[in-house]
Amino acid sequence: SSSAPSSAPPPPAPISRASISKQTGLSKQTVSDLVRILEEEGWVRETGRTSGHVGRTATTYELVPDSAFMAAVDLGGTKLRVAIVDLAGSVIAEVVAPTHPEGGQAVAQQIGDLVEAAVIQGEVERTKVRQTVVGCPGVPDQGTGAVRYAPNIAGIEGFDFRTAVAEATGTQVLLENDVNLAVLGEQWLGAGQGIDHLAFIALGTGIGAGLIVNGALRD
């Protein structure tokens, strides 16, 4: 099955090279060189010039949202959801299916199949899908690529699940706890915007909690 997004996050505001330099601490020359490279390769584009303040105007730049895409995966014990998003965070396509009951390698391949289905649905250039992020129950082991303490999904604790998903999707893969991603999402665009202390409780096939303290995620 599939569904279309009802809303999208606001696009990132255009920014000048001087502002990037001030915010990052990089020299103006370094920022200019990096912006030039990014513009030549199609990642950013010029949007106009600053106005409304004293002093010289400055050229502003913005991301090119469709220069690359990511696959976002919500892996649950009963349901698997895959979305394709652009660099601005807008959902381009979304597909949902029951989680494969065999778990393990079968789920990794299912993720690959659903990524392909979402790419087709969203009419996205496949080579532009650069990264897959999997929100999964349990504790991802970043050293081995396995997922520990996820009893609702068979077979993802005993082998390199991250590599299996990477092979199935043809992308780099990041594993993260699903509720940690959820609380970050609420802080970014949801009920937790502007809040430095936030608790998120998830009730599904299992029960989980994500916690932000002093603006930072607590594992």
Side-chain angles (χ1 to χ4, degrees), residues 129-152:
V129 181
R130 304 295 186 90
Q131 178 93 29
T132 299
V133 178
V134 182
C136 49
V139 180
D141 187 325
Q142 304 301 345
T144 66
V147 180
R148 298 181 287 113
Y149 310 118
N152 293 321

Side-chain angles (χ1 to χ4, degrees), residues 43-201:
W43 294 92
V44 301
R45 61 193 171 202
E46 183 178 325
T47 59
R49 302 188 71 83
T50 58
S51 61
H53 56 79
V54 178
R56 294 191 304 172
T57 61
T59 304
T60 56
Y61 297 86
E62 67 178 1
L63 284 172
V64 178
D66 61 356
S67 59
F69 298 87
M70 292 176 50
V73 180
D74 180 12
L75 173 58
T78 57
K79 184 168 60 179
L80 177 59
R81 185 185 303 270
V82 173
I84 300 295
V85 300
D86 65 16
L87 292 184
S90 297
V91 177
I92 306 303
E94 185 174 352
V95 295
V96 185
T99 303
H100 199 296
E102 292 183 12
Q105 182 63 49
V107 168
Q109 186 57 55
Q110 185 184 25
I111 290 173
D113 294 341
L114 291 183
V115 168
E116 291 297 326
V119 164
I120 293 170
Q121 180 192 113
E123 299 181 343
V124 170
E125 185 177 332
R126 182 64 178 85
T127 57
K128 288 187 175 182
V129 181
R130 304 295 186 90
Q131 178 93 29
T132 299
V133 178
V134 182
C136 49
V139 180
D141 187 325
Q142 304 301 345
T144 66
V147 180
R148 298 181 287 113
Y149 310 118
N152 293 321
I153 304 174
I156 63 174
E157 183 169 352
F159 85 119
D160 189 347
F161 183 66
R162 180 177 55 213
T163 294
V165 174
E167 292 174 348
T169 60
T171 69
Q172 298 182 23
V173 172
L174 173 66
L175 299 180
E176 181 55 88
N177 174 265
D178 53 0
V179 185
N180 282 349
L181 292 178
V183 73
L184 288 173
E186 290 295 336
Q187 185 189 45
W188 176 37
L189 291 174
Q193 292 182 73
I195 299 175
D196 289 335
H197 307 284
L198 179 64
F200 181 97
I201 307 298

Side-chain angles (χ1 to χ4, degrees), residues 30-46:
T30 296
V31 170
S32 292
D33 291 342
L34 291 173
V35 168
R36 175 179 53 79
I37 293 170
L38 291 171
E39 187 175 17
E40 289 174 352
E41 295 185 358
W43 294 92
V44 301
R45 61 193 171 202
E46 183 178 325

